[in-house]
Amino acid sequence: MVTLATLRAVNPDEFEEAADGYHAVSTAASTAKDRLSNEIIAKTMPAPAEGGSDGLVGEAASAARRRLERLGENLHYTQVECGLVRATLNGFAADLRAARKKLDAALDDAAASGLTVNGDGSVSYPAAGEKADGKTPEGGTAVSYEDAAANGLADQAAHLDPNPKHAVAKDCADRIAQALKEATEADQTWAPKLRELKAQNDLTVSSKDWADVHGDREAVQEVAGVYLDEKYIPEGRPPKENAAWWNGLTPEEQADYTALYPASIGALDGIPSDVRDEANRAVLAQTKGDYETRLTAIPPTPALYAQPGQSEQTDWRERAAKVQEWKDKYGDEHERLTKALKGMEAIEDRFDSTGVQGLPEAYLLKFIPEADGRVVIANGNPDTADHTAVYVPGTGSELSKVEGDIKRVNSLWGASAPMASGENVSTIVWMDYDAPDSVVKDAPFSHYAHDGSEGFAKFMNGVHESNTTNSGGHYTTVGHSYGTTLIGATARLHDLQADDIVLAGSPGVEVGKASEMDVPKGHVWNQEAEGDAVPDIGRWSHGGEQWEYEGGVRIVPSDEIFGSNQMSTDTHGHSDYWKEDSESLLNQAAVVTGNYDRVTLEE
């Protein structure tokens, strides 16, 4: 139980000062981590086969990189854990300040009424009031209602004392007791959580350590209460409202929300990209640690074939039964975890590729591991980009396959940056919708595009909202295959905030004219490579219509009547539009950077 003397002596500011100290350590660790990754490690990477800066090769160089990467992991862990400590200290200080405020108000009222507050929280009052039988009601000592009832003081509990000072003293005693109760509850609530926030005494950040961070965060969230409640975070709101909410927080609240609710903060369109990146990287690290721990806990697959000393014939059925039992019990979970971890490793590989062939820092703008997974990752900061290209992949997109999509936007950035005349370029993978899984079974249906269109519209609004350039930026959406259908659905059902649209291998965009795509006239660009059968096959599911033309036909962007600019391609098939140094890729880059005169068109 917190005593009166303790609460009077305690200063909530001291806990907030300690929180600020942990924030300083967290910030320093974050800064050091970023510099280590983007400047030091990047310069040690081996030189690419063609072009690029010289790197370090050899056994010693590889060993040095491993040590540096291990240090970076330690710095990231320090950043996240210190952020949690800071949020915990601030939460405790907030609850303690509320209790202290109640105590100070009760003490001030007692002093103003000429009452004396005793060390145990009781309040003494002098003789006062009208005389009865020639006598003035005597003074006494009032205790809180709870103490009075607990000690059998029925007259005080029932307010039977005729001295009017007693009622005032009784009220002050009750308020003092309530303040002490709240201070005690704050101590009992926050102290155990703070004690749990400690790392192992070693220099290795293991999968278990990151998994424990997730548990630590959930434990602190349980007691965050009024100080930082997740319900105050906007959900499903327009990016402008998200930005207004974020900008209305104090820097301390921003840091604590990011530490306590990284998944929610990382998903908010319209707030700064570096904040979203910090939050989502924490989610990625914790999820990866959790998944690796779960995968390790699954026993290995039993051997199907005979091992030394086993009889091939006698043991075959038994071994087959054990394999099937393992598949029934662990197979689905093992596959899910393995596929998800493959995607997470691809994202981390992109982080590690900063500096290779000039690639800028990566920004993780969304990360959700559940189901097929959701990933939004940018090359360069879109908030400071003069030219931003947002690539939407098509059928089969999922976390486990994100490596291919990352390579495409890497290639697009590599082709665009030299054309930008010194301006900043950002290329983004937007894999934040439930894409069709199968070309045959799912891709013919439009509901995947319809369901994802609102999220894409909000994301495009969000990159506009967070952009800090004087011009406000130039934006291009780049769709491939079913991704073009989603872009078309967004233009048809919502307001697509884009300046240019590039469509590659489109099966149709649900409208029959380029003029219906929400961009200025002449700013829809299409590519159909030789040997790409998707446009002709897909038109029957996703082609638009022009009823004034021969009674209505299914039209795709590759048709002249659609009205798009038909860009030349020198690639073949459905998937090579981002082939290095190809005309197909360079034409996209010219659109992305606004160099329309450098685009080559089909005759």
Side-chain angles (χ1 to χ4, degrees):
M1 178 73 181
V2 174
T3 65
L4 175 61
T6 300
L7 186 55
R8 294 183 72 171
V10 74
N11 182 2
D13 291 345
E14 294 178 354
F15 292 97
E16 291 180 338
E17 289 171 4
D20 290 342
Y22 277 97
H23 178 61
V25 175
S26 179
T27 301
S30 175
T31 301
K33 170 182 66 71
D34 292 343
R35 183 168 181 266
L36 186 69
S37 174
N38 300 327
E39 297 180 29
I40 300 174
I41 295 178
K43 291 181 179 179
T44 71
M45 298 297 288
E50 297 180 7
S53 59
D54 292 336
L56 301 178
V57 296
E59 186 176 337
S62 297
R65 275 192 296 274
R66 287 194 295 270
R67 293 290 294 273
L68 291 171
E69 289 167 357
R70 177 177 158 188
L71 175 58
E73 188 80 356
N74 275 273
L75 290 169
H76 190 198
Y77 182 76
T78 300
Q79 171 197 352
V80 172
E81 281 288 85
C82 285
L84 284 176
V85 173
R86 172 202 163 101
T88 303
L89 288 169
N90 278 334
F92 176 54
D95 287 353
L96 197 59
R97 178 171 279 106
R100 177 63 187 271
K101 185 177 181 180
K102 288 184 178 181
L103 175 65
D104 289 343
L107 294 177
D108 289 344
D109 288 349
S113 299
L115 309 177
T116 300
V117 177
N118 303 309
D120 60 356
S122 62
V123 180
S124 298
Y125 54 95
E130 295 182 2
K131 293 181 178 180
D133 299 329
K135 297 181 179 179
T136 300
E138 296 180 355
T141 299
V143 298
S144 68
Y145 179 85
E146 291 182 357
D147 286 344
N151 291 290
L153 303 178
D155 59 335
Q156 288 205 27
H159 299 278
L160 300 178
D161 194 312
N163 189 330
K165 289 283 187 178
H166 170 261
V168 180
K170 180 68 174 56
D171 176 67
C172 290
D174 284 340
R175 290 157 60 194
I176 291 170
Q178 182 62 30
L180 296 179
K181 179 182 178 182
E182 291 181 7
T184 299
E185 290 175 348
D187 182 57
Q188 293 173 343
T189 296
W190 292 101
K193 307 305 179 185
L194 190 61
R195 282 193 292 268
E196 292 173 6
L197 296 175
K198 55 185 178 181
Q200 297 296 321
N201 188 22
D202 56 41
L203 295 177
T204 300
V205 180
S206 65
S207 299
K208 185 178 182 301
D209 289 329
W210 279 117
D212 287 344
V213 170
H214 180 71
D216 291 343
R217 176 172 286 113
E218 287 186 333
V220 178
Q221 288 173 354
E222 289 175 0
V223 297
V226 177
Y227 169 61
L228 283 182
D229 197 321
E230 190 174 18
K231 70 181 181 182
Y232 298 124
I233 301 175
E235 183 176 352
R237 306 303 303 162
K240 186 178 288 293
E241 293 184 22
N242 294 342
W245 172 79
W246 180 258
N247 294 330
L249 300 175
T250 66
E252 292 78 12
E253 289 171 331
Q254 290 177 348
D256 289 346
Y257 266 114
T258 304
L260 276 183
Y261 305 105
S264 297
I265 296 300
L268 285 181
D269 293 321
I271 71 171
S273 293
D274 57 349
V275 174
R276 298 181 69 176
D277 177 60
E278 176 188 340
N280 287 315
R281 289 199 190 207
V283 176
L284 172 65
Q286 293 153 39
T287 303
K288 186 168 181 280
D290 181 39
Y291 280 27
E292 287 176 340
T293 302
R294 292 191 202 177
L295 189 61
T296 302
I298 295 177
T301 311
L304 179 60
Y305 299 100
Q307 303 299 305
Q310 290 182 323
S311 168
E312 183 67 40
Q313 294 181 348
T314 304
D315 299 330
W316 168 257
R317 291 184 178 179
E318 181 180 346
R319 290 195 300 272
K322 288 183 178 179
V323 169
Q324 187 59 49
E325 181 182 358
W326 183 94
K327 288 181 179 179
D328 293 341
K329 188 173 183 179
Y330 303 110
D332 290 345
E333 179 71 354
H334 187 277
E335 181 182 12
R336 184 184 74 84
L337 296 173
T338 301
K339 291 174 66 175
L341 286 168
K342 180 182 177 182
M344 295 180 214
E345 289 166 1
I347 296 171
E348 291 185 334
D349 286 344
R350 170 56 191 93
F351 295 158
D352 296 338
S353 297
T354 296
V356 176
Q357 293 184 306
L359 272 177
E361 183 178 358
Y363 289 78
L364 187 58
L365 304 181
K366 195 162 192 178
F367 175 75
I368 299 176
E370 287 76 23
D372 285 342
R374 305 289 181 91
V375 177
V376 180
I377 187 168
N379 293 318
N381 189 343
D383 297 353
T384 59
D386 302 286
H387 302 282
T388 300
V390 183
Y391 163 75
V392 183
T395 299
S397 301
E398 59 181 53
L399 175 58
S400 65
K401 301 175 183 177
V402 74
E403 180 180 10
D405 296 317
I406 291 174
K407 287 181 177 178
R408 287 179 175 177
V409 294
N410 288 356
S411 297
L412 184 57
W413 187 91
S416 301
M419 294 189 189
S421 301
E423 294 183 319
N424 292 328
V425 175
S426 177
T427 58
I428 303 172
V429 173
W430 188 85
M431 198 192 79
D432 192 18
Y433 77 110
D434 180 20
D437 291 328
S438 166
V439 172
V440 176
K441 295 180 180 179
D442 304 312
F445 297 99
S446 297
H447 66 85
Y448 299 97
H450 297 169
D451 294 344
S453 62
E454 182 178 4
F456 187 60
K458 286 182 178 180
F459 179 78
M460 293 303 298
N461 289 339
V463 291
H464 277 77
E465 182 67 32
S466 60
N467 190 278
T468 59
T469 62
N470 292 330
S471 67
H474 167 243
Y475 300 90
T476 304
T477 61
V478 181
H480 178 232
S481 194
Y482 195 92
T484 69
T485 306
L486 183 140
I487 292 174
T490 305
R492 185 172 68 84
L493 300 173
H494 307 280
D495 182 16
L496 177 60
Q497 293 292 310
D499 301 297
D500 287 281
I501 294 175
V502 173
L503 309 169
S506 175
V509 292
E510 298 198 340
V511 296
K513 299 178 182 178
S515 59
E516 299 178 71
M517 293 291 287
D518 280 354
V519 293
K521 183 178 180 180
H523 286 260
V524 177
W525 311 80
N526 186 68
Q527 291 180 317
E528 180 184 342
E530 182 180 354
D532 188 347
V534 169
D536 284 334
I537 295 175
R539 71 169 66 242
W540 306 110
S541 298
H542 306 300
E545 296 176 340
Q546 288 190 28
W547 287 102
E548 67 270 23
Y549 178 76
E550 296 184 356
V553 294
R554 289 289 185 175
I555 299 170
V556 297
S558 299
D559 296 329
E560 183 178 355
I561 190 175
F562 183 81
S564 61
N565 299 301
Q566 300 295 331
M567 296 193 293
S568 300
T569 58
D570 59 347
T571 51
H572 188 275
H574 188 59
S575 302
D576 272 357
Y577 294 99
W578 292 269
K579 187 177 180 180
E580 293 283 350
D581 299 322
S582 66
E583 183 181 25
S584 302
L585 177 61
L586 293 173
N587 275 333
Q588 289 189 30
V591 174
V592 168
T593 56
N595 289 293
Y596 307 119
D597 58 335
R598 298 179 65 173
V599 177
T600 59
L601 300 176
E602 291 183 353
E603 295 182 0

